[in-house]
Amino acid sequence: MKLATRLQALAHAATRGRSAVIGAPYLWLLTFFLLPFLVVMKISVSEMEAVHFKDLITFKDGSLQFAIQLRNYLFIAEDDLYFKTYLASLKYAGVATLLCLVIGYPFAYFMARARATLQPALLMLVMLPFWTSLLLRVYAWKGLLSEHGWAHQLITGLGLDHLLAALGIIQTPGLLLHTPFSLVLGMVYTYLPFMVLPLYANLAKMDLRLLEAAADLGATAWVAFWKVTVPLSKAGIIAGSMLVFIPCVGELVVPELLGGPQTLMIGRVMWDEMFSNNDWPMASAVAVVMVLLIIVPLALFSKYQAEAQEARR
Amino acid sequence: MNGMQKWFGRGWLSAGYLFLYLPIAALVIYSFNDSPVPNIWRGFTLHWYAQLADDHELLAGFWLSLKIAFFTACGSVVLGTLAAFALVKYKRFFGRTLFTGMVSAPLVMPEVIIGLSLLLTLVSVQRLIGVPERGMLTIWLGHMLLGMAYATVVIQARLQDLNPQLEEAAMDLGARPAQVFMLVTLPMIAQSLLSAWLLTFTLSLDDVVVSAFLSGPGATTMPQVIFSRARLGLSPSINAVATLIVLFVAVGVAFASLLIARRERQRQREMAEAYRS
């Protein structure tokens, strides 16, 4: 009884306390999100001694000794493989983002301009694949693109594989799987909803009277689209592009299932350093460089996220 | 919109949805295919489903995934509610920018980085004090980071739309903050809590990268089993698992949206009556 009342008082204090409401998630994120990044940064400049790390700072002979190793970073800078892999990751992520935008913008646009009664259903249909397993949907493309798969038959039937081969996207006509083509297709497929949803949210709340005003002032539909609709949806374009680009850079599942020997990406390199070579400092350095590469897009994303929140109020 | 634009729009949307759903349809159809070569149709069978019952590796992974997903969903909703509350209700507090950044960063951050950084930290801690052993708990920790970010976004969106006057009115009538939360705020955001729970549950159930970093020798989740088989090649039993998941999700989502629609109608009826009297 006494315990129950005490617990009740505690619960009261906790729900009332502003510091508890902020503090609990804050502390959690500091411990499990920020601290791990600092640990990775520390390990990336450590030396691996058998299985233990040397301490960065040691007290020896009456003086502090710093043992910061930039060896890993120098190796990344000098080694051709790392450079090429980072470049390839950025390239594939960039191409996938661009394709998502080209496919997703009209998609979101027509969704937002569809009949109001129809919109919740259309939105649900975009969300639904997100609820089913991503891994399994990527796996499905493996079947669709393999020799007897539907997509394979459609593409080769139309002779498109020769076009892809001529463009250098695949090497041999008729072999679609484990090429840059299948890799980019898989990433576009996986991340398309991440592009469509923020764009839709943005386009749906646009004031249509602005388009009427543009028309009254003599703009054709195209001009009004380019000069009014597109600039107004800038925040949606940036948010969507970041939501696609950043995870694509470090993608592991799609390259493993649909990529090939030509399409080594940085996520895989990090994985190998960690689990095949057991070189933790090297894996950490690869991760730190990856974060540095995405920190600008990440900051952009946060900025527009914050602006979108302000706009809601 | 003029006629041509309308048809172009319809065409684009149809093609888009076809693109999104074709792979799912293929998985379902080929799960009934009576052929060891997964892509050549030979006739209808339920053989692959029967085989699942004896697949101990997959079943063990399924139960582990289910447990982790359940705890992830519960934990994410609790922490996500607190985080969303902090962001919506308290405009100023120490380090708000850092907090906002940390809450939304896992949404975009490549999963390999989240997995690696948490793994290295947990290993360092384990060397210092001996715990935690890698396994269910560590996977749960990793999933919580992702889950909390998604839960916060969903709950925050709902909290922002709430009319603060209702809470103020309750306060004026003498309710303590805890009572206001339990009796006024919670019922109004219940729907978003449910969607956040379902979303984080499915996210956790599906995650393979973070799990791969944080799992130990005795703990392999279902996606890990599927992933390692999918890497080797096509397998009809994966199609059968996929079909069951699609079915499960479709039923779950349909049920949830029915429930939400009914609650929403009821709420609006009550509101209308409250205004009338």
Side-chain angles (χ1 to χ4, degrees):
Chain A
M1 189 61 210
K2 210 171 183 181
L3 184 74
T5 41
R6 199 178 290 170
L7 273 178
Q8 215 171 9
L10 242 169
H12 260 248
T15 40
R16 189 165 34 199
R18 173 193 139 106
S19 51
V21 171
I22 303 171
Y26 210 150
L27 214 62
W28 174 278
L29 286 168
L30 285 176
T31 319
F32 295 111
F33 189 70
L34 195 64
L35 177 76
F37 274 110
L38 301 178
V39 171
V40 166
M41 275 159 86
K42 187 211 146 196
I43 293 178
S44 76
V45 292
S46 316
E47 198 174 350
M48 194 83 172
E49 222 185 43
V51 282
H52 281 274
F53 307 109
K54 270 189 191 164
D55 280 332
L56 287 187
I57 303 167
T58 43
F59 196 70
K60 206 164 114 192
D61 304 331
S63 67
L64 282 176
Q65 309 240 315
F66 292 92
I68 290 182
Q69 292 280 335
L70 293 177
R71 194 176 49 103
N72 297 316
Y73 290 100
L74 288 176
F75 196 68
I76 290 177
E78 281 164 8
D79 194 276
D80 210 26
L81 171 81
Y82 288 105
F83 183 72
K84 275 191 183 148
T85 314
Y86 278 116
L87 212 62
S89 300
L90 291 176
K91 184 181 82 185
Y92 290 128
V95 171
T97 308
L98 205 66
L99 284 171
C100 275
L101 188 62
V102 171
I103 300 168
Y105 197 97
F107 196 99
Y109 180 84
F110 292 121
M111 260 175 84
R113 299 288 174 270
R115 250 183 298 132
T117 45
L118 212 59
Q119 286 190 23
L122 292 176
L123 192 63
M124 199 64 209
L125 280 172
V126 176
M127 300 267 279
L128 210 57
F130 190 82
W131 292 81
T132 60
S133 170
L134 188 145
L135 171 65
L136 288 167
R137 284 182 296 125
V138 174
Y139 163 77
W141 277 106
K142 206 171 166 144
L144 287 169
L145 289 170
S146 70
E147 206 185 336
H148 298 285
W150 300 348
H152 185 276
Q153 285 178 348
L154 182 72
I155 289 166
T156 50
L158 292 172
L160 288 174
D161 52 332
H162 289 279
L163 180 69
L164 291 171
L167 290 170
I169 299 168
I170 58 174
Q171 274 193 326
T172 326
L175 287 177
L176 300 173
L177 202 55
H178 306 305
T179 60
F181 170 73
S182 57
L183 174 73
V184 171
L185 177 70
M187 295 208 288
V188 169
Y189 176 74
T190 310
Y191 289 100
L192 187 62
F194 291 83
M195 180 66 88
V196 171
L197 293 176
L199 276 174
Y200 168 79
N202 186 294
L203 288 166
K205 64 169 196 251
M206 205 182 106
D207 191 346
L208 292 178
R209 285 174 305 184
L210 292 168
L211 289 179
E212 283 168 27
D216 287 346
L217 293 170
T220 62
W222 262 113
V223 172
F225 175 75
W226 275 115
K227 300 226 156 152
V228 179
T229 309
V230 172
L232 278 175
S233 56
K234 196 176 133 209
I237 293 174
I238 291 182
S241 301
M242 294 305 110
L243 278 172
V244 176
F245 181 77
I246 305 172
C248 272
V249 172
E251 182 60 40
L252 189 68
V253 173
V254 181
E256 284 294 307
L257 291 185
L258 298 176
Q262 305 160 275
T263 58
L264 190 61
M265 283 179 70
I266 203 65
R268 177 58 194 267
V269 170
M270 197 181 101
W271 176 272
D272 284 344
E273 291 295 353
M274 184 71 198
F275 293 106
S276 304
N277 302 344
N278 270 317
D279 190 345
W280 298 3
M282 195 64 208
S284 302
V286 171
V288 170
V289 174
M290 201 198 296
V291 173
L292 288 179
L293 284 180
I294 58 175
I295 209 129
V296 173
L298 204 61
L300 263 175
F301 170 75
S302 313
K303 189 174 153 245
Y304 279 92
Q305 189 87 332
E307 272 173 29
Q309 267 175 34
E310 282 307 308
R312 288 181 67 101
R313 282 186 200 129
Chain B
M1 276 199 279
N2 58 40
M4 216 181 85
Q5 213 186 340
K6 202 161 140 188
W7 283 107
F8 181 70
R10 282 186 187 168
W12 198 278
L13 283 177
S14 314
Y17 285 119
L18 197 67
F19 179 56
L20 286 177
Y21 283 93
L22 181 77
I24 300 175
L27 281 177
V28 173
I29 291 170
Y30 280 107
S31 75
F32 298 110
N33 183 15
D34 185 17
S35 158
V37 186
N39 260 316
I40 303 171
W41 183 261
R42 248 191 26 193
F44 181 86
T45 183
L46 289 173
H47 174 70
W48 309 114
Y49 290 89
Q51 222 178 43
L52 286 183
D54 293 326
D55 195 332
H56 296 295
E57 191 192 13
L58 200 68
L59 284 178
F62 176 67
W63 283 117
L64 181 71
S65 290
L66 219 53
K67 273 188 274 184
I68 294 174
F70 177 80
F71 289 119
T72 301
C74 294
S76 301
V77 167
V78 172
L79 279 179
T81 308
L82 290 176
F85 236 81
L87 287 172
V88 174
K89 302 279 171 184
Y90 307 123
K91 294 285 174 279
R92 289 180 190 285
F93 57 85
F94 181 72
R96 192 179 197 276
T97 319
L98 175 68
F99 185 71
T100 318
M102 284 197 301
V103 166
S104 61
L107 288 179
V108 280
M109 189 63 79
E111 282 185 55
V112 281
I113 293 184
I114 294 182
L116 181 86
S117 58
L118 204 52
L119 169 62
L120 288 175
T121 310
L122 290 169
V123 169
S124 303
V125 171
Q126 199 194 359
R127 283 194 176 152
L128 278 177
I129 58 172
V131 284
E133 205 69 46
R134 264 191 275 162
M136 193 179 138
L137 179 74
T138 52
I139 300 176
W140 175 76
L141 276 175
H143 287 192
M144 279 289 291
L145 274 177
L146 298 178
M148 184 187 163
Y150 279 93
T152 308
V153 170
V154 172
I155 299 166
Q156 192 185 0
R158 177 76 185 138
L159 270 178
Q160 257 156 4
D161 289 342
L162 282 191
N163 185 352
Q165 285 172 342
L166 292 169
E167 287 165 336
E168 284 159 18
M171 223 105 77
D172 287 345
L173 293 170
R176 286 188 306 261
Q179 281 180 312
V180 174
F181 180 78
M182 296 304 284
L183 296 175
V184 180
T185 317
L186 204 59
M188 287 197 296
I189 61 167
Q191 176 192 323
S192 71
L193 296 187
L194 179 68
S195 22
W197 196 93
L198 288 171
L199 182 63
T200 47
F201 184 84
T202 47
L203 274 172
S204 166
L205 204 61
D206 190 37
D207 173 80
V208 61
V209 177
V210 173
S211 311
F213 274 97
L214 298 172
S215 67
T220 312
T221 63
M222 179 176 67
Q224 280 180 275
V225 178
I226 294 174
F227 188 50
S228 64
R229 287 188 198 175
R231 273 158 108 162
L232 296 177
L234 300 167
S235 125
S237 68
I238 297 183
N239 290 18
V241 174
T243 305
L244 291 178
I245 291 177
V246 168
L247 194 73
F248 181 73
V249 168
V251 170
V253 170
F255 182 72
S257 32
L258 268 179
L259 205 72
I260 286 169
R262 226 177 66 185
R263 281 188 69 110
E264 189 65 19
R265 271 203 304 277
Q266 190 187 349
R267 211 171 57 86
Q268 268 167 4
R269 212 167 39 232
E270 280 169 8
M271 294 270 259
E273 268 163 31
Y275 281 126
R276 212 178 299 137
S277 53

